[in-house]
Amino acid sequence: MKALAASVLALGLSACAAPGGVAPIPAGRTVIPYTTAGLERVLGQDAAGLTQLFGQPDADIREGTARKLQFAGPICVLDAYLYPKGSEPPRVTYLDAREPDGSTIDRASCVAALTRRDGGR
C-alpha cells in the first residue's frame, strides 16, 4: 500500500515538471536578461541627476513618497522608479525600458540612446 502511494505521488509530481526541467518560453517573445551592467550612471541617482543626464522628463508621476520619471526618445522609453530610504531624497532603485511600440529593449541600450538624444546633454 505504501509503495502504491509513493508511486502515485511521484507520478503526480513528475507531471508538474516541464520537459527537460526548463519552462518553455512563449513564441514571439524576446527575453532580455535582467542585469545592472551599463546602468551605473542611473541607479542611485536622484531626480536632479536624472534631469541633468536626460533633460526634462516626459512624465513625472508621484504616489506617496515614490516617484516615476519617464524619458522618451525615438529609440525607447525609460521609466525610472525613485524611492526614498529613511530621510534621504528618493533615488532610482529600478528601471524599465521598452521601444515606443512596447517591444522589449535592453535597459542599458536605452540609457545610452537617451543620453545622446537631442545631441546629448
Side-chain angles (χ1 to χ4, degrees):
M1 188 66 159
K2 286 182 183 179
L4 178 61
S7 297
V8 169
L9 180 61
L11 183 61
L13 289 176
S14 68
C16 294
V22 178
I25 297 172
R29 179 161 181 154
T30 304
V31 176
I32 303 290
Y34 185 84
T35 69
T36 58
L39 304 177
E40 298 85 4
R41 296 184 292 179
V42 182
L43 290 173
Q45 286 286 340
D46 60 10
L50 291 177
T51 301
Q52 184 176 7
L53 184 62
F54 300 125
Q56 290 299 313
D58 296 288
D60 186 346
I61 301 164
R62 296 170 194 249
E63 186 173 321
T65 58
R67 188 173 182 185
K68 177 178 97 169
L69 296 178
Q70 185 176 86
F71 301 91
I75 305 295
C76 64
V77 177
L78 182 74
D79 294 323
Y81 296 89
L82 297 86
Y83 297 96
K85 185 175 182 181
S87 61
E88 296 179 12
R91 297 193 175 274
V92 176
T93 59
Y94 180 76
L95 295 167
D96 192 22
R98 63 191 173 283
E99 292 182 37
D101 68 1
S103 301
T104 304
I105 188 170
D106 176 67
R107 296 176 308 155
S109 298
C110 184
V111 167
L114 289 173
T115 56
R116 290 191 285 275
R117 73 176 178 170
D118 300 330
R121 298 193 195 280

